[in-house]
Amino acid sequence: MNEFIISCCSTADLSREVLKENNIEYACFHYNIDGKDYLDDLGETMPISEFYKKMSEGAEPTTSQVSVGQYTEFFEKFIKEGKAVLHISLSSGISGSYNSALIAKQEILDKYPDAKLTVVDSISASSGYGLLVTLAADMRAKGKSYEETIEFIEKYKHNVHHWFFSTDLTSYIRGGRISAAAGWFGTLLHICPLLRVDDAGRLIPVEKCRGKNKVITAIVDKMEKYAENGTDYDGKCFMSNSACMDDVNAVISEIEKRFPKLKGKIEVFDIGTVIGAHTGPGTVALFFCGEQREK
């Protein structure tokens, strides 16, 4: 097996167990809630259920990305060991962490000119970002070289689909993404926005579905339309959620009706504290591989 480091950030929204099983290193974002600073350490310091409970009670967390200095320190420990590093970053369409990682990379190369350090913009987020990172780990496990893995990820990242919906508009109102009036009417009419991540890694609205059942049908419709091999899809399928497992289970039930080869194979994760600080409770996300994302 070819040995090289694959790393990501905590915003890949994978569990510690999956990261460990796949030998994936990660750097932590940060958040502040109730006046205290925390590492986004996948729920180790503060359980993610507690984080969402605080949000539902009115807490308004803020977040900060991995700093250049933190990235430099993170990369350097592997470079000192003589290892090549492939770091896959959170989408540049929603965060400046990619640029910070590039600056840190240059600092490392100035100090260690022979180092092998590559930073890839995932143009992905949450467990879709995590799905892409696990694909890189799969390539490495199959014996693919550092260069082959980079080439594959750069080419295939556009094929990882991200679809989200929310049944709670509170955080959208707080964050100014929708007005208080629109949020009030949306809540009154049970509007559940359906969103996706586009080809530039930006989160954009697609539809306004009235009622939970309609948005669940709509999100699985999108998977049927875009997944590789349609309803014969048998690739990776990840879901993440912010404290709404009943909704996740409803989506899984609908997927398994239409995609028989996925029965029992859908992996579910928590939306972590950094992504969740912006979505709030009540968000469900679906990730799968398919044709290239539309602009």
Side-chain angles (χ1 to χ4, degrees), residues 5-213:
I5 298 296
I6 294 173
S7 66
C8 63
C9 293
S10 54
T11 46
D13 288 350
L14 296 172
S15 66
R16 288 191 298 276
E17 293 75 19
V18 167
L19 289 164
K20 185 176 180 181
E21 286 169 9
N22 288 276
N23 195 23
I24 297 165
E25 305 287 343
Y26 64 97
C28 293
F29 272 56
H30 309 261
Y31 68 97
N32 180 292
I33 192 168
D34 293 338
K36 294 183 179 180
D37 293 321
Y38 297 88
L39 280 177
D40 177 30
D41 56 7
L42 312 181
E44 188 170 1
T45 302
M46 179 186 291
I48 292 175
S49 59
E50 182 180 343
F51 174 82
Y52 285 119
K53 182 174 183 292
K54 287 178 178 290
M55 284 196 76
S56 67
E57 293 170 349
E60 298 184 27
T62 57
T63 63
S64 57
Q65 64 192 39
V66 182
S67 68
V68 173
Q70 188 182 350
Y71 270 130
T72 302
E73 183 179 348
F74 177 73
F75 294 147
E76 189 170 25
K77 64 184 178 183
F78 304 120
I79 298 302
K80 280 182 175 179
E81 296 171 356
K83 295 178 179 177
V85 178
L86 165 56
H87 179 74
I88 304 173
S89 83
L90 177 64
S91 171
S92 62
I94 61 173
S95 169
S97 57
Y98 172 63
N99 287 330
S100 295
L102 287 178
I103 294 169
K105 171 188 172 180
Q106 191 56 54
E107 291 185 0
I108 291 290
L109 294 179
D110 289 345
K111 190 173 181 179
Y112 305 94
D114 296 327
K116 292 179 74 173
L117 171 57
T118 300
V119 177
V120 173
D121 180 0
S122 71
I123 62 165
S124 298
S126 191
S127 302
Y129 171 23
L131 192 158
L132 185 69
V133 173
T134 63
L135 288 173
D138 291 345
M139 293 288 287
R140 181 180 60 186
K142 292 174 183 175
K144 300 299 182 181
S145 69
Y146 178 73
E147 292 78 13
E148 287 173 321
T149 302
I150 293 167
E151 181 181 6
F152 171 78
I153 293 301
E154 283 284 18
K155 185 179 298 184
Y156 199 71
K157 64 187 183 183
H158 299 276
N159 296 77
V160 178
H161 281 252
H162 302 55
W163 293 89
F164 301 76
F165 71 79
S166 182
T167 58
D168 185 341
L169 303 180
T170 305
S171 292
Y172 293 83
I173 299 168
R174 285 178 185 163
R177 281 165 288 176
I178 60 175
S179 69
W184 184 85
F185 279 109
T187 300
L188 182 67
L189 298 173
H190 304 291
I191 297 298
C192 300
L194 179 65
L195 307 95
R196 71 180 178 93
V197 171
D198 70 6
D199 64 313
R202 300 166 300 196
L203 186 61
I204 60 171
V206 177
E207 297 176 22
K208 295 177 182 177
C209 299
R210 189 169 180 180
K212 192 181 293 186
N213 290 338

